[in-house]
Amino acid sequence: MRILIILTLILGINSCKAQSISENKLIGKWILVAETDSFPDDIEPLNENKSDSESDSKAELKTSLTFNKDKKIFINQMGNEYDATYKLTDSILTIGNRNYIVVKIDKKKLIYKNKGGLFDKHYEYKKVE
């Protein structure tokens, strides 16, 4: 019985440590570098005017996220600024009331996707600070 309790404590401590390491990787400023859809290569989304959509997609990339240690996030999306709170639980990143699945996080790259969305849209960020 003692061994079971000790093993449970060790596993619990290790999972908490891994969680805090992932949260520490989030701290800082991230710039959106790519946004991808789940459309297969042979199917293109409907666009009325291709040149307008290309300029819009470049404008959409002017998005930055700044994660702070106090669980607050500052979002700047094309000049519109928002403050919210965030939480990272396992591979689920919650920003405000939206949930995302973290695909990859390391010191320089953050990739997440919409959780439960109709399309499998991925967002790739590069760390700048």
Side-chain angles (χ1 to χ4, degrees), residues 54-127:
E54 288 174 4
S55 63
D56 288 345
S57 65
K58 289 179 183 176
E60 287 176 10
L61 295 180
K62 295 179 183 177
T63 299
S64 68
L65 306 175
T66 305
F67 292 91
N68 298 315
K69 289 183 182 181
D70 62 355
K71 306 286 184 189
K72 301 228 180 205
I73 183 172
F74 177 75
I75 303 165
N76 186 338
Q77 189 173 27
M78 294 178 20
N80 297 320
E81 299 176 346
Y82 310 97
D83 287 319
T85 58
Y86 74 91
K87 181 172 84 170
L88 182 64
T89 308
D90 296 326
S91 64
I92 304 298
L93 174 63
T94 304
I95 299 176
N97 62 356
R98 294 186 177 213
N99 293 323
Y100 302 95
I101 298 172
V102 175
V103 176
K104 179 179 181 177
I105 183 170
D106 59 28
K107 293 179 182 179
K108 298 288 181 186
K109 186 184 280 189
L110 168 65
I111 301 174
Y112 63 79
K113 65 181 183 175
N114 290 335
K115 181 181 180 195
L118 182 60
F119 298 106
D120 193 20
K121 190 171 247 188
H122 285 70
Y123 302 93
E124 181 178 337
Y125 289 83
K126 176 180 80 170
K127 195 166 195 176

Side-chain angles (χ1 to χ4, degrees), residues 3 6 16 20 22 27 30 37-38 46 61 65 68 73 84 92 100 104 117:
I3 294 174
I6 291 171
C16 290
S20 65
S22 294
I27 305 301
W30 298 85
D37 290 322
S38 63
L46 296 176
L61 295 180
L65 306 175
N68 298 315
I73 183 172
I92 304 298
Y100 302 95
K104 179 179 181 177

